[in-house]
Amino acid sequence: MSSAESLERLDVALTPQQRFEEYLQSRGQRQTKPRKFLVENIFSQHSHFDADELIEKLPRKGQPDYVSPATVYRSLREFVDAGLLNSFQLDGRTVYELDYGYPEHDHLYCTRCRKLIEFRSEPLMEIRNNVAAEHGFRVTGHRLIVHGTCRDCTGSRRTKRKQDLV
Amino acid sequence: MSSAESLERLDVALTPQQRFEEYLQSRGQRQTKPRKFLVENIFSQHSHFDADELIEKLPRKGQPDYVSPATVYRSLREFVDAGLLNSFQLDGRTVYELDYGYPEHDHLYCTRCRKLIEFRSEPLMEIRNNVAAEHGFRVTGHRLIVHGTCRDCTGSRRTKRKQDLV
DNA sequence: CTCTGTGCAAACGGTTTGCAAGGGC
DNA sequence: GCCCTTGCAAACCGTTTGCACAGAG
C-alpha cells in the first residue's frame, strides 16, 4: 500500500554474507575473494540490475578485484540459488534484485523510463491462491509485471514502443 | 471462474485471415503464400507454442509449402503486431498464443509437465488497477504467470527444478 | 515493372561451458 | 595436496539481419 518506489528491509538474523557462507558450506563450496567481493558489492545498494550493469560497475580488467564476466554470471546464479537474489526476465535480459531481507513483492514497469516500481498487495495474493485452488493447482510462486507509464513520465509524450507486453 | 484449461472463443466480426489481410493492406504489405499458410495453420488449433514447435509442425525443407525459419520468425512478429497473437517469455523462449478472438487472461504454469492453464479473474484486474492508481501509474497491460504444480501432476513425485521462478 | 517478401547463411547478444592454471581449506 | 574456482575463449541458442533472387500487385 505504500507509495514508495522501493520497499523497506526486513529484520533478518544473518547478514547476506553470513547466509551465503552457510550456503557454501552446506554444499562443500568455498569462500573466495570474487564471491565475497560480489556479495558485498551487490548488497551495498538496493536496486535492480542485470549482469551487464553489474559488470560495468565492477573494476575493469587489470584493476584490483577484477572479476571475469564468466564468474559474474556463475555467481549470480549461485546467489539466486542461495536465496540472496531473485531474478526475472525483462526485455530479453535477466534482471536481478535483492531477495534476502526484502519482502515478497511485484512490479510496475515503466516502459518509457524503464524504471521498476515495487509494490506489495495482500489481496493480490489471496486472489492468486483462490484461482489456483479452483484449478487444483499447487502454487510455488508467481511473477507479475504491470506495464505502463509511471507518474514521472505521464504528461510528457507517449511511449513509442510497439510491443509493451513481451 | 471456469475450471476448463482453455477459455472459449469470443464472437468476432472477421476471421483471423481477414483481419490480417486488413492489417497488411493498411501498411502496404502483401498477402503471400507463406503468410496465408501460417495464419491458417496457427489458427487451426488453440494452443501455446514457440517458434521451434511451430517449425517442427510445418513441412520440412523440400516439401511443398515449406517456410523458412527466418520467415516463421518474421511472420510471428507480424502476427503479434497485427493483434492475432500474443507473446510472452517462458523459460527463455518466446511463447505465442492466439489472441484475436480470445478473451484476456492469465496463466498457471505447471513446472512439472510444462502445461499452461488459462484463467480469467476480474478481481485481479481491479486490484491491478487500484495498485497502479495509488502509484499514479498508467497501465497498458500486465503479465502474470503463477508457477506451481497442476492437478494432474500433484500426487506424483515433486518437481526437481531448482529455479521455478525465473 | 516496382517494391515487398523470401530463403539462405552469417551475425547477434546474452549466457554457458571446456579447459588449464590458480588458490581455499 | 586435493579439489573447487577462476579466467579465457569458444560454444551455444534463440532470434535477427544483409543480401540477391522470387513473386505480388
Side-chain angles (χ1 to χ4, degrees), chain A residues 41-75:
Chain A
N41 197 297
I42 287 169
F43 274 82
S44 71
Q45 60 178 278
H46 176 83
S47 63
H48 300 87
F49 62 93
D50 61 23
D52 219 52
E53 286 163 359
L54 175 56
I55 290 167
E56 292 286 288
K57 277 200 341 187
L58 298 172
R60 315 273 165 213
K61 195 188 305 208
Q63 310 288 77
D65 290 321
Y66 169 71
V67 182
S68 73
T71 297
V72 171
Y73 277 103
R74 281 188 279 236
S75 300

mmCIF file of all heavy atoms in Angstrom, chain A residues 41-75:
data_model
loop_
_atom_site.group_PDB
_atom_site.id
_atom_site.type_symbol
_atom_site.label_atom_id
_atom_site.label_comp_id
_atom_site.label_asym_id
_atom_site.label_seq_id
_atom_site.Cartn_x
_atom_site.Cartn_y
_atom_site.Cartn_z
ATOM 1 N N ASN A 41 29.369 -6.115 -2.792
ATOM 2 C CA ASN A 41 29.069 -5.081 -3.777
ATOM 3 C C ASN A 41 27.577 -5.004 -4.081
ATOM 4 O O ASN A 41 26.993 -3.918 -4.119
ATOM 5 C CB ASN A 41 29.846 -5.403 -5.054
ATOM 6 C CG ASN A 41 29.925 -4.210 -5.975
ATOM 7 O OD1 ASN A 41 28.896 -3.758 -6.446
ATOM 8 N ND2 ASN A 41 31.114 -3.694 -6.204
ATOM 9 N N ILE A 42 26.977 -6.149 -4.268
ATOM 10 C CA ILE A 42 25.566 -6.184 -4.664
ATOM 11 C C ILE A 42 24.667 -5.710 -3.534
ATOM 12 O O ILE A 42 23.712 -4.970 -3.745
ATOM 13 C CB ILE A 42 25.172 -7.610 -5.101
ATOM 14 C CG1 ILE A 42 25.794 -7.912 -6.469
ATOM 15 C CG2 ILE A 42 23.663 -7.772 -5.139
ATOM 16 C CD1 ILE A 42 25.693 -9.360 -6.890
ATOM 17 N N PHE A 43 25.007 -6.114 -2.308
ATOM 18 C CA PHE A 43 24.141 -5.746 -1.180
ATOM 19 C C PHE A 43 24.457 -4.362 -0.624
ATOM 20 O O PHE A 43 23.843 -3.934 0.343
ATOM 21 C CB PHE A 43 24.203 -6.817 -0.084
ATOM 22 C CG PHE A 43 23.229 -7.929 -0.329
ATOM 23 C CD1 PHE A 43 23.547 -8.968 -1.195
ATOM 24 C CD2 PHE A 43 21.966 -7.906 0.247
ATOM 25 C CE1 PHE A 43 22.634 -9.982 -1.442
ATOM 26 C CE2 PHE A 43 21.047 -8.917 -0.007
ATOM 27 C CZ PHE A 43 21.379 -9.961 -0.855
ATOM 28 N N SER A 44 25.389 -3.682 -1.228
ATOM 29 C CA SER A 44 25.706 -2.330 -0.763
ATOM 30 C C SER A 44 24.692 -1.316 -1.283
ATOM 31 O O SER A 44 24.682 -0.166 -0.886
ATOM 32 C CB SER A 44 27.106 -1.922 -1.213
ATOM 33 O OG SER A 44 27.129 -1.706 -2.608
ATOM 34 N N GLN A 45 23.846 -1.740 -2.180
ATOM 35 C CA GLN A 45 22.772 -0.838 -2.604
ATOM 36 C C GLN A 45 21.563 -1.627 -3.049
ATOM 37 O O GLN A 45 21.681 -2.753 -3.520
ATOM 38 C CB GLN A 45 23.238 0.075 -3.731
ATOM 39 C CG GLN A 45 23.679 -0.654 -4.964
ATOM 40 C CD GLN A 45 24.074 0.334 -6.039
ATOM 41 O OE1 GLN A 45 23.239 0.866 -6.752
ATOM 42 N NE2 GLN A 45 25.358 0.587 -6.134
ATOM 43 N N HIS A 46 20.416 -1.018 -2.903
ATOM 44 C CA HIS A 46 19.184 -1.689 -3.292
ATOM 45 C C HIS A 46 18.773 -1.223 -4.682
ATOM 46 O O HIS A 46 18.392 -0.086 -4.880
ATOM 47 C CB HIS A 46 18.071 -1.363 -2.314
ATOM 48 C CG HIS A 46 16.761 -1.946 -2.733
ATOM 49 N ND1 HIS A 46 16.433 -3.251 -2.461
ATOM 50 C CD2 HIS A 46 15.733 -1.434 -3.432
ATOM 51 C CE1 HIS A 46 15.236 -3.504 -2.964
ATOM 52 N NE2 HIS A 46 14.781 -2.414 -3.555
ATOM 53 N N SER A 47 18.875 -2.120 -5.634
ATOM 54 C CA SER A 47 18.420 -1.730 -6.963
ATOM 55 C C SER A 47 18.260 -2.954 -7.845
ATOM 56 O O SER A 47 18.692 -4.041 -7.490
ATOM 57 C CB SER A 47 19.412 -0.772 -7.608
ATOM 58 O OG SER A 47 20.651 -1.431 -7.776
ATOM 59 N N HIS A 48 17.628 -2.768 -8.949
ATOM 60 C CA HIS A 48 17.502 -3.829 -9.933
ATOM 61 C C HIS A 48 18.664 -3.687 -10.898
ATOM 62 O O HIS A 48 19.087 -2.586 -11.209
ATOM 63 C CB HIS A 48 16.181 -3.694 -10.690
ATOM 64 C CG HIS A 48 14.992 -3.770 -9.791
ATOM 65 N ND1 HIS A 48 14.471 -2.672 -9.162
ATOM 66 C CD2 HIS A 48 14.239 -4.819 -9.400
ATOM 67 C CE1 HIS A 48 13.438 -3.044 -8.417
ATOM 68 N NE2 HIS A 48 13.266 -4.335 -8.548
ATOM 69 N N PHE A 49 19.161 -4.792 -11.357
ATOM 70 C CA PHE A 49 20.302 -4.730 -12.266
ATOM 71 C C PHE A 49 20.384 -6.010 -13.082
ATOM 72 O O PHE A 49 19.844 -7.034 -12.693
ATOM 73 C CB PHE A 49 21.602 -4.536 -11.469
ATOM 74 C CG PHE A 49 21.883 -5.668 -10.525
ATOM 75 C CD1 PHE A 49 22.681 -6.744 -10.927
ATOM 76 C CD2 PHE A 49 21.348 -5.685 -9.244
ATOM 77 C CE1 PHE A 49 22.937 -7.809 -10.064
ATOM 78 C CE2 PHE A 49 21.597 -6.744 -8.381
ATOM 79 C CZ PHE A 49 22.397 -7.805 -8.786
ATOM 80 N N ASP A 50 21.059 -5.939 -14.201
ATOM 81 C CA ASP A 50 21.330 -7.151 -14.954
ATOM 82 C C ASP A 50 22.827 -7.408 -14.942
ATOM 83 O O ASP A 50 23.609 -6.592 -14.417
ATOM 84 C CB ASP A 50 20.765 -7.076 -16.381
ATOM 85 C CG ASP A 50 21.380 -5.937 -17.176
ATOM 86 O OD1 ASP A 50 22.493 -5.494 -16.838
ATOM 87 O OD2 ASP A 50 20.744 -5.489 -18.136
ATOM 88 N N ALA A 51 23.229 -8.548 -15.485
ATOM 89 C CA ALA A 51 24.630 -8.949 -15.424
ATOM 90 C C ALA A 51 25.532 -7.861 -16.006
ATOM 91 O O ALA A 51 26.576 -7.524 -15.436
ATOM 92 C CB ALA A 51 24.832 -10.266 -16.172
ATOM 93 N N ASP A 52 25.098 -7.299 -17.097
ATOM 94 C CA ASP A 52 25.922 -6.314 -17.779
ATOM 95 C C ASP A 52 26.111 -5.050 -16.950
ATOM 96 O O ASP A 52 27.216 -4.511 -16.863
ATOM 97 C CB ASP A 52 25.272 -5.956 -19.116
ATOM 98 C CG ASP A 52 26.305 -5.785 -20.192
ATOM 99 O OD1 ASP A 52 27.124 -6.708 -20.356
ATOM 100 O OD2 ASP A 52 26.317 -4.715 -20.830
ATOM 101 N N GLU A 53 25.037 -4.596 -16.325
ATOM 102 C CA GLU A 53 25.128 -3.404 -15.492
ATOM 103 C C GLU A 53 26.058 -3.645 -14.314
ATOM 104 O O GLU A 53 26.829 -2.757 -13.926
ATOM 105 C CB GLU A 53 23.736 -3.008 -14.991
ATOM 106 C CG GLU A 53 22.876 -2.377 -16.075
ATOM 107 C CD GLU A 53 21.391 -2.365 -15.704
ATOM 108 O OE1 GLU A 53 21.037 -2.859 -14.609
ATOM 109 O OE2 GLU A 53 20.592 -1.888 -16.521
ATOM 110 N N LEU A 54 25.976 -4.844 -13.760
ATOM 111 C CA LEU A 54 26.852 -5.174 -12.649
ATOM 112 C C LEU A 54 28.309 -5.167 -13.090
ATOM 113 O O LEU A 54 29.174 -4.567 -12.440
ATOM 114 C CB LEU A 54 26.481 -6.545 -12.084
ATOM 115 C CG LEU A 54 27.373 -7.103 -10.972
ATOM 116 C CD1 LEU A 54 27.464 -6.129 -9.793
ATOM 117 C CD2 LEU A 54 26.876 -8.462 -10.510
ATOM 118 N N ILE A 55 28.572 -5.788 -14.211
ATOM 119 C CA ILE A 55 29.940 -5.868 -14.730
ATOM 120 C C ILE A 55 30.504 -4.463 -14.977
ATOM 121 O O ILE A 55 31.669 -4.191 -14.681
ATOM 122 C CB ILE A 55 29.967 -6.708 -16.029
ATOM 123 C CG1 ILE A 55 29.700 -8.187 -15.680
ATOM 124 C CG2 ILE A 55 31.283 -6.553 -16.762
ATOM 125 C CD1 ILE A 55 29.398 -9.066 -16.872
ATOM 126 N N GLU A 56 29.648 -3.585 -15.473
ATOM 127 C CA GLU A 56 30.062 -2.193 -15.715
ATOM 128 C C GLU A 56 30.559 -1.510 -14.436
ATOM 129 O O GLU A 56 31.493 -0.722 -14.471
ATOM 130 C CB GLU A 56 28.865 -1.368 -16.218
ATOM 131 C CG GLU A 56 28.377 -1.740 -17.595
ATOM 132 C CD GLU A 56 29.322 -1.263 -18.674
ATOM 133 O OE1 GLU A 56 29.372 -0.041 -18.914
ATOM 134 O OE2 GLU A 56 30.024 -2.114 -19.251
ATOM 135 N N LYS A 57 29.873 -1.812 -13.344
ATOM 136 C CA LYS A 57 30.172 -1.159 -12.065
ATOM 137 C C LYS A 57 31.433 -1.696 -11.409
ATOM 138 O O LYS A 57 32.013 -1.056 -10.534
ATOM 139 C CB LYS A 57 29.014 -1.388 -11.069
ATOM 140 C CG LYS A 57 27.857 -0.463 -11.183
ATOM 141 C CD LYS A 57 27.021 -0.449 -9.894
ATOM 142 C CE LYS A 57 27.250 -1.646 -8.982
ATOM 143 N NZ LYS A 57 26.327 -1.699 -7.837
ATOM 144 N N LEU A 58 31.817 -2.906 -11.802
ATOM 145 C CA LEU A 58 32.952 -3.557 -11.154
ATOM 146 C C LEU A 58 34.273 -3.082 -11.757
ATOM 147 O O LEU A 58 34.300 -2.518 -12.843
ATOM 148 C CB LEU A 58 32.823 -5.074 -11.301
ATOM 149 C CG LEU A 58 31.584 -5.713 -10.654
ATOM 150 C CD1 LEU A 58 31.480 -7.170 -11.051
ATOM 151 C CD2 LEU A 58 31.636 -5.562 -9.138
ATOM 152 N N PRO A 59 35.379 -3.331 -11.046
ATOM 153 C CA PRO A 59 36.698 -2.952 -11.566
ATOM 154 C C PRO A 59 36.955 -3.603 -12.933
ATOM 155 O O PRO A 59 36.584 -4.756 -13.154
ATOM 156 C CB PRO A 59 37.660 -3.510 -10.519
ATOM 157 C CG PRO A 59 36.862 -3.596 -9.262
ATOM 158 C CD PRO A 59 35.469 -3.882 -9.691
ATOM 159 N N ARG A 60 37.576 -2.832 -13.819
ATOM 160 C CA ARG A 60 37.900 -3.344 -15.165
ATOM 161 C C ARG A 60 39.040 -4.356 -15.097
ATOM 162 O O ARG A 60 39.761 -4.434 -14.115
ATOM 163 C CB ARG A 60 38.358 -2.198 -16.072
ATOM 164 C CG ARG A 60 37.525 -0.964 -16.003
ATOM 165 C CD ARG A 60 36.361 -1.037 -16.948
ATOM 166 N NE ARG A 60 35.370 -0.006 -16.629
ATOM 167 C CZ ARG A 60 34.071 -0.177 -16.793
ATOM 168 N NH1 ARG A 60 33.587 -1.322 -17.217
ATOM 169 N NH2 ARG A 60 33.225 0.785 -16.519
ATOM 170 N N LYS A 61 39.199 -5.009 -16.203
ATOM 171 C CA LYS A 61 40.292 -5.981 -16.307
ATOM 172 C C LYS A 61 41.625 -5.261 -16.056
ATOM 173 O O LYS A 61 41.857 -4.168 -16.578
ATOM 174 C CB LYS A 61 40.315 -6.605 -17.701
ATOM 175 C CG LYS A 61 41.173 -7.860 -17.771
ATOM 176 C CD LYS A 61 41.376 -8.383 -19.175
ATOM 177 C CE LYS A 61 40.081 -8.643 -19.924
ATOM 178 N NZ LYS A 61 40.249 -9.716 -20.949
ATOM 179 N N GLY A 62 42.465 -5.848 -15.230
ATOM 180 C CA GLY A 62 43.751 -5.218 -14.912
ATOM 181 C C GLY A 62 43.709 -4.555 -13.551
ATOM 182 O O GLY A 62 44.693 -4.549 -12.825
ATOM 183 N N GLN A 63 42.556 -4.001 -13.174
ATOM 184 C CA GLN A 63 42.387 -3.370 -11.863
ATOM 185 C C GLN A 63 42.376 -4.442 -10.765
ATOM 186 O O GLN A 63 42.075 -5.605 -11.042
ATOM 187 C CB GLN A 63 41.045 -2.631 -11.789
ATOM 188 C CG GLN A 63 40.783 -1.707 -12.944
ATOM 189 C CD GLN A 63 41.644 -0.472 -12.912
ATOM 190 O OE1 GLN A 63 42.837 -0.541 -13.262
ATOM 191 N NE2 GLN A 63 41.077 0.632 -12.506
ATOM 192 N N PRO A 64 42.639 -4.008 -9.519
ATOM 193 C CA PRO A 64 42.474 -4.956 -8.419
ATOM 194 C C PRO A 64 41.008 -5.348 -8.273
ATOM 195 O O PRO A 64 40.130 -4.557 -8.610
ATOM 196 C CB PRO A 64 42.937 -4.160 -7.182
ATOM 197 C CG PRO A 64 43.080 -2.747 -7.612
ATOM 198 C CD PRO A 64 43.195 -2.734 -9.097
ATOM 199 N N ASP A 65 40.761 -6.543 -7.800
ATOM 200 C CA ASP A 65 39.409 -7.063 -7.577
ATOM 201 C C ASP A 65 38.640 -7.291 -8.874
ATOM 202 O O ASP A 65 37.409 -7.394 -8.854
ATOM 203 C CB ASP A 65 38.583 -6.145 -6.663
ATOM 204 C CG ASP A 65 39.088 -6.178 -5.231
ATOM 205 O OD1 ASP A 65 39.459 -7.275 -4.787
ATOM 206 O OD2 ASP A 65 39.125 -5.120 -4.582
ATOM 207 N N TYR A 66 39.335 -7.362 -9.993
ATOM 208 C CA TYR A 66 38.657 -7.674 -11.244
ATOM 209 C C TYR A 66 38.020 -9.052 -11.164
ATOM 210 O O TYR A 66 38.611 -10.011 -10.652
ATOM 211 C CB TYR A 66 39.635 -7.645 -12.422
ATOM 212 C CG TYR A 66 39.051 -8.212 -13.694
ATOM 213 C CD1 TYR A 66 38.070 -7.521 -14.400
ATOM 214 C CD2 TYR A 66 39.470 -9.460 -14.178
ATOM 215 C CE1 TYR A 66 37.521 -8.044 -15.555
ATOM 216 C CE2 TYR A 66 38.926 -9.989 -15.346
ATOM 217 C CZ TYR A 66 37.955 -9.277 -16.029
ATOM 218 O OH TYR A 66 37.414 -9.799 -17.165
ATOM 219 N N VAL A 67 36.774 -9.166 -11.633
ATOM 220 C CA VAL A 67 36.080 -10.446 -11.716
ATOM 221 C C VAL A 67 35.633 -10.635 -13.157
ATOM 222 O O VAL A 67 35.016 -9.743 -13.734
ATOM 223 C CB VAL A 67 34.856 -10.483 -10.785
ATOM 224 C CG1 VAL A 67 34.186 -11.835 -10.840
ATOM 225 C CG2 VAL A 67 35.247 -10.114 -9.363
ATOM 226 N N SER A 68 35.937 -11.776 -13.704
ATOM 227 C CA SER A 68 35.598 -12.004 -15.112
ATOM 228 C C SER A 68 34.092 -12.174 -15.273
ATOM 229 O O SER A 68 33.399 -12.605 -14.361
ATOM 230 C CB SER A 68 36.294 -13.262 -15.616
ATOM 231 O OG SER A 68 35.676 -14.403 -15.077
ATOM 232 N N PRO A 69 33.583 -11.819 -16.458
ATOM 233 C CA PRO A 69 32.160 -11.981 -16.750
ATOM 234 C C PRO A 69 31.671 -13.390 -16.454
ATOM 235 O O PRO A 69 30.596 -13.572 -15.873
ATOM 236 C CB PRO A 69 32.068 -11.677 -18.247
ATOM 237 C CG PRO A 69 33.198 -10.735 -18.499
ATOM 238 C CD PRO A 69 34.292 -11.163 -17.570
ATOM 239 N N ALA A 70 32.460 -14.386 -16.819
ATOM 240 C CA ALA A 70 32.037 -15.765 -16.575
ATOM 241 C C ALA A 70 31.750 -15.976 -15.096
ATOM 242 O O ALA A 70 30.744 -16.591 -14.727
ATOM 243 C CB ALA A 70 33.105 -16.738 -17.050
ATOM 244 N N THR A 71 32.620 -15.446 -14.257
ATOM 245 C CA THR A 71 32.438 -15.609 -12.814
ATOM 246 C C THR A 71 31.244 -14.807 -12.315
ATOM 247 O O THR A 71 30.521 -15.239 -11.420
ATOM 248 C CB THR A 71 33.718 -15.202 -12.068
ATOM 249 O OG1 THR A 71 34.764 -16.093 -12.469
ATOM 250 C CG2 THR A 71 33.539 -15.283 -10.569
ATOM 251 N N VAL A 72 31.040 -13.636 -12.898
ATOM 252 C CA VAL A 72 29.868 -12.853 -12.512
ATOM 253 C C VAL A 72 28.601 -13.646 -12.818
ATOM 254 O O VAL A 72 27.726 -13.806 -11.957
ATOM 255 C CB VAL A 72 29.821 -11.495 -13.248
ATOM 256 C CG1 VAL A 72 28.492 -10.792 -13.020
ATOM 257 C CG2 VAL A 72 30.972 -10.604 -12.780
ATOM 258 N N TYR A 73 28.504 -14.177 -14.012
ATOM 259 C CA TYR A 73 27.335 -14.987 -14.379
ATOM 260 C C TYR A 73 27.183 -16.192 -13.447
ATOM 261 O O TYR A 73 26.096 -16.505 -12.984
ATOM 262 C CB TYR A 73 27.435 -15.457 -15.826
ATOM 263 C CG TYR A 73 26.973 -14.428 -16.825
ATOM 264 C CD1 TYR A 73 27.872 -13.685 -17.576
ATOM 265 C CD2 TYR A 73 25.610 -14.190 -17.013
ATOM 266 C CE1 TYR A 73 27.436 -12.741 -18.498
ATOM 267 C CE2 TYR A 73 25.165 -13.259 -17.931
ATOM 268 C CZ TYR A 73 26.083 -12.526 -18.675
ATOM 269 O OH TYR A 73 25.655 -11.594 -19.568
ATOM 270 N N ARG A 74 28.295 -16.865 -13.225
ATOM 271 C CA ARG A 74 28.224 -18.048 -12.364
ATOM 272 C C ARG A 74 27.764 -17.660 -10.960
ATOM 273 O O ARG A 74 26.934 -18.336 -10.351
ATOM 274 C CB ARG A 74 29.589 -18.746 -12.314
ATOM 275 C CG ARG A 74 29.861 -19.600 -13.564
ATOM 276 C CD ARG A 74 31.119 -20.455 -13.438
ATOM 277 N NE ARG A 74 32.331 -19.685 -13.711
ATOM 278 C CZ ARG A 74 33.238 -20.011 -14.652
ATOM 279 N NH1 ARG A 74 33.062 -21.085 -15.406
ATOM 280 N NH2 ARG A 74 34.308 -19.279 -14.828
ATOM 281 N N SER A 75 28.303 -16.562 -10.454
ATOM 282 C CA SER A 75 27.973 -16.149 -9.091
ATOM 283 C C SER A 75 26.506 -15.722 -8.987
ATOM 284 O O SER A 75 25.833 -16.047 -8.011
ATOM 285 C CB SER A 75 28.876 -14.996 -8.663
ATOM 286 O OG SER A 75 30.233 -15.413 -8.698
#
